[in-house]
């Protein structure tokens, strides 16, 4: 079971804070540092000092880390044109020496689009499908050849399809709860399917749908990695768990919907997700200044899963 660290910096974090978390992620032996792609805080958080851009952040981290994988859960398809996104991700992959992964989603948070003047189209999922075809198509085009695409929403003519990522294939992540279109899209394009903030039962059901969708087009269901994103709130004892949850969540709610409790309790719950087919867990850390939390998870949770 791989453990990755996941951050939601739109709730309030500077680049320096994210850098500190990424370096701790690397030093403590976690597999990867991922972040959300949002421009507006959610809920009661003040969001200060303001949002940071996902791919600018990852570009900086690419030069200041050496081992960990870097990526997004999920890049919003509404934020970037697919040709531009292919260039951005390829460049950050080069900057990192081939450690980037692209999580790409349709985009959903209408308020942040209104707040920053970003168009919020009605038909987002069909656009996402075209974006996936374009981004992967550009990367797969051989050097010296060109890529063209004539879609409903995007048209590319004789693109040189450059630059190329450092990796021969940048892993693509697709996720979500949709019962039909999401598995079909994941079955075609995804190297990893991520189930965000879902129960064990819902995860197992959705993993099965994705496996079936992959097999329908001639892929093996085992070609994909299956993962979960879950809020983590771990403490040496109940008092420490309660203190960490006090940032804005209830302990019992986190125990029911995330990974909360003592290290032993969290290891047991991760084991249940593994039984449902999960191979990787993205641990959403609520307090990005609490690096002791990461140390505890590394020494007393991750160590038991290895």
């Amino acid at each position: 079971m791989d453990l990755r660290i996941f951050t939601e910096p739109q709730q309030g974090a500077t680049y320096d804070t994210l850098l500190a978390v990424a370096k701790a992620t690397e030093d403590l032996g976690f597999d990867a540092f991922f972040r959300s792609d949002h421009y507006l805080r959610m809920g009661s958080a003040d969001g200060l000092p303001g949002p940071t851009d996902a791919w600018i952040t990852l570009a900086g981290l690419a030069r200041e880390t050496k081992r960990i994988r870097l990526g997004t859960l999920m890049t919003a398809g509404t934020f970037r044109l697919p040709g531009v996104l292919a260039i951005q991700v390829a460049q950050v992959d080069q900057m990192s020496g081939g450690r980037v992964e692209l999580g790409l989603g349709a985009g959903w948070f209408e308020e942040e689009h209104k707040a920053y003047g970003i168009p919020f189209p009605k038909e987002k999922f069909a656009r996402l499908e075209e974006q996936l075809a374009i981004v992967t198509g550009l990367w797969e085009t051989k050097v010296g050849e060109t890529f063209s695409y004539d879609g409903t929403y995007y048209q590319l003519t004789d693109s040189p399809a450059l630059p190329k990522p450092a990796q021969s294939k940048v892993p693509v992540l697709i996720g979500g709860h949709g019962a039909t279109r999401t598995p079909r899209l994941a079955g075609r394009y995804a190297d990893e399917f991520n189930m965000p903030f879902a129960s064990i039962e819902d995860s197992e059901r959705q993993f099965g749908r994705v496996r079936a969708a992959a097999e329908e087009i001639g892929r093996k269901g085992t070609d994909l990695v299956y993962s979960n994103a879950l809020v983590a709130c771990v403490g040496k004892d109940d008092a420490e768990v309660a203190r960490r949850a006090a940032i804005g969540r209830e302990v019992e709610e986190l125990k029911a919907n995330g990974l909360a409790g003592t290290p032993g309790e969290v290891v047991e719950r991760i084991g249940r997700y593994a039984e449902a087919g999960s191979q990787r867990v993205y641990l959403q850390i609520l307090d990005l200044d609490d690096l002791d939390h990461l140390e505890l998870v590394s020494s007393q949770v991750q160590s038991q899963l290895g």
Side-chain angles (χ1 to χ4, degrees), residues 69-226:
R69 307 289 294 177
L70 300 166
T72 50
L73 285 181
M74 299 284 184
T75 290
T78 48
F79 288 175
R80 297 166 181 86
L81 297 170
V84 174
L85 180 62
I87 292 170
Q88 291 173 320
V89 177
Q91 183 178 2
V92 178
D93 195 52
Q94 291 176 0
M95 293 168 71
S96 71
R99 294 184 284 123
V100 159
E101 304 185 10
L102 170 63
L104 185 58
W108 62 270
F109 189 21
E110 185 173 6
E111 285 81 0
E112 70 186 335
H113 294 74
K114 292 178 178 178
Y116 286 96
I118 303 168
F120 190 68
K122 181 178 180 180
E123 183 45 76
K124 293 177 287 298
F125 201 90
R127 288 174 181 269
L128 172 62
E129 188 161 10
E130 290 194 9
Q131 290 164 342
L132 286 162
I134 292 166
V135 170
T136 58
L138 287 167
W139 291 338
E140 291 167 1
T141 299
K142 294 179 181 178
V143 175
E145 298 181 359
T146 60
F147 175 84
S148 296
Y149 185 88
D150 186 16
T152 301
Y153 304 101
Y154 305 102
Q155 295 80 39
L156 286 75
T157 303
D158 295 332
S159 171
L162 297 171
K164 299 301 184 194
Q167 299 174 86
S168 59
K169 188 177 192 317
V170 173
V172 172
L173 289 75
I174 294 172
H177 296 252
T180 304
R181 294 195 297 176
T182 296
R184 177 180 57 81
L185 210 56
R188 177 170 296 279
Y189 291 107
D191 299 287
E192 177 177 336
F193 178 76
N194 179 264
M195 192 62 168
F197 310 110
S199 69
I200 295 165
E201 296 76 18
D202 286 347
S203 298
E204 185 172 27
R205 189 178 304 112
Q206 188 73 330
F207 293 159
R209 292 182 184 127
V210 172
R211 278 191 293 269
E215 290 165 0
E216 282 179 11
I217 63 168
R219 297 181 69 187
K220 295 180 180 179
T222 53
D223 286 347
L224 285 78
V225 173
Y226 298 88

Side-chain angles (χ1 to χ4, degrees), residues 7-19 21 33-42 46-61 71-76 79-80 112 116 118 288:
T7 63
E8 295 257 21
Q10 76 277 355
Q11 299 302 91
T14 64
Y15 172 76
D16 286 339
T17 298
L18 295 172
L19 174 60
V21 174
F33 172 95
F34 271 58
R35 61 156 291 165
S36 61
D37 188 18
H38 286 295
Y39 292 136
L40 192 66
R41 61 106 179 101
M42 301 169 194
D46 59 25
L48 295 175
T52 50
D53 181 83
W55 284 101
I56 290 176
T57 297
L58 295 177
L61 298 180
T72 50
L73 285 181
M74 299 284 184
T75 290
F79 288 175
R80 297 166 181 86
E112 70 186 335
Y116 286 96
I118 303 168
L288 299 183

Side-chain angles (χ1 to χ4, degrees), residues 1 35 52 79 167 200 202 249 269 280 285 294 297:
M1 174 68 74
R35 61 156 291 165
T52 50
F79 288 175
Q167 299 174 86
I200 295 165
D202 286 347
R249 304 291 286 269
R269 187 158 175 82
R280 179 175 290 158
I285 304 302
L294 295 185
V297 173

